[in-house]
């Protein structure tokens, strides 16, 4: 079997009446059209609780999420379900796959991330973490958790729609976008040690994810996809 499985990812399946409408009213991206999309589930203040890819499987919705957060994500979604006839549960028969050479769908955040698809588990993929970080893309609770969604570079990575209508945390997120007030950003930094601004440290790669003010970027990696947004804010 090809070694393409991202073992740090899991799949959560939502089944039942109008599951797309249910998800549409909660998450940051528009799930009413073509999928997959990258999206976040936020606090009412606009801070990230979970991030995930949203896929369709017939009438069901599949969430490609961080494996360590899957149970908490199911519990959080169940809070919003109320009495809707919707089932929310992990689907262990499916795994998330990634490859730079093959696959079905380009990662909706950034084409350079490669191809992504869902299928039965296979061999474990190698190289994903470093590839993602060197492109400056952050994900998961350790890197994004409890930060304002736009500070997670969500607008630049196609993780938010400002035209879809309501979602949890929309008011503060839309206000920040309207005022162009994204004064801090998540960035990947080459470093040999963890520092006071470090969110996640990967010593085996010599990289860390840091939350920095845009006037204090220092030696951070500034990817091409983020440069124009930083220049616009600085200006």
């Amino acid at each position: 079997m090809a070694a393409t499985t991202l073992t740090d990812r899991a799949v959560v399946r939502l089944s039942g009446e109008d599951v797309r409408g249910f998800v549409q009213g909660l998450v940051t991206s528009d799930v009413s059209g073509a999928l997959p999309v990258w999206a976040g589930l936020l606090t009412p203040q606009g801070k990230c609780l979970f991030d995930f890819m949203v896929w369709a499987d017939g009438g069901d919705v599949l969430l490609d999420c961080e494996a360590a957060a899957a149970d908490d994500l199911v519990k959080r979604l169940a809070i919003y379900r109320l009495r809707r006839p919707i089932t929310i549960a992990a689907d262990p028969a499916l795994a998330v796959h990634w490859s730079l050479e093959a696959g079905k769908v380009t990662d909706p955040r950034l084409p350079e991330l490669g191809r992504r698809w869902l299928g039965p588990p296979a061999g474990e993929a190698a190289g994903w973490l470093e590839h993602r970080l060197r492109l400056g893309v952050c994900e998961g609770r350790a890197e994004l958790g409890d930060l304002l969604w736009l500070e997670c570079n969500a607008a630049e990575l196609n993780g938010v729609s400002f035209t879809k209508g309501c979602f949890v945390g929309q008011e503060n997120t839309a206000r920040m976008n309207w005022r162009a007030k994204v004064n801090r950003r998540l960035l990947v930094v080459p470093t040999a040690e963890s520092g006071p601004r470090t969110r996640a440290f990967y010593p085996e790669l010599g990289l860390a994810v840091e939350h920095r003010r845009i006037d204090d970027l220092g030696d951070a990696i500034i990817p091409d996809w983020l440069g124009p947004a930083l220049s616009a804010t600085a200006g």
Side-chain angles (χ1 to χ4, degrees):
M1 285 189 178
T4 58
T5 301
L6 297 178
T7 57
D8 63 341
R9 306 292 291 181
V11 177
V12 170
R13 180 181 292 272
L14 291 85
S15 307
E17 183 179 314
D18 190 25
V19 287
R20 276 222 200 189
F22 171 66
V23 175
Q24 176 78 345
L26 297 176
V27 307
T28 58
S29 291
D30 189 346
V31 304
S32 65
L35 299 178
V37 295
W38 182 52
L41 181 61
L42 312 182
T43 68
Q45 295 75 35
K47 294 183 178 182
C48 180
L49 290 171
F50 306 95
D51 74 295
F52 38 76
M53 302 287 181
V54 183
W55 301 74
D57 183 21
D60 292 356
V61 169
L62 304 177
L63 304 182
D64 153 6
C65 66
E66 184 182 13
D71 288 345
D72 290 340
L73 176 57
V74 169
K75 292 175 183 176
R76 187 75 180 191
L77 291 170
I79 293 173
Y80 294 108
R81 177 179 54 191
L82 301 176
R83 298 191 178 188
R84 292 181 179 90
I86 293 173
T87 300
I88 307 169
D91 187 342
L94 291 175
V96 180
H97 295 265
W98 164 77
S99 175
L100 287 173
E101 281 80 37
K104 297 180 180 180
V105 178
T106 301
D107 193 301
R109 293 170 291 186
L110 190 71
E112 290 82 357
L113 283 169
R115 310 285 281 184
R116 198 176 186 100
W117 68 100
L118 304 180
E124 181 177 357
W128 163 248
L129 177 62
E130 181 171 11
H131 179 69
R132 171 176 70 79
L133 290 172
R134 293 203 180 276
L135 287 171
V137 177
C138 302
E139 67 180 23
R141 290 193 293 187
E143 297 174 12
L144 310 182
D146 204 36
L147 294 184
L148 292 166
W149 188 232
L150 296 189
E151 294 181 350
C152 300
N153 307 316
E156 294 73 28
L157 291 171
N158 305 309
V160 61
S161 169
F162 296 107
T163 60
K164 59 164 278 187
C166 295
F167 57 84
V168 180
Q170 178 201 22
E171 184 176 356
N172 197 34
T173 304
R175 185 185 302 115
M176 286 182 67
N177 180 66
W178 176 259
R179 295 178 177 176
K181 290 291 187 182
V182 187
N183 295 322
R184 291 178 174 81
R185 293 282 185 166
L186 267 188
L187 298 159
V188 179
V189 180
T191 183
E193 59 185 10
S194 180
R197 297 174 293 186
T198 300
R199 302 273 306 174
F201 179 45
Y202 304 96
E204 71 280 12
L205 301 177
L207 296 172
V209 174
E210 296 192 354
H211 187 218
R212 293 189 174 188
R213 290 189 57 84
I214 61 168
D215 58 2
D216 186 24
L217 300 181
D219 56 350
I221 296 171
I222 309 299
D224 291 343
W225 56 263
L226 184 57
L230 294 177
S231 298
T233 305

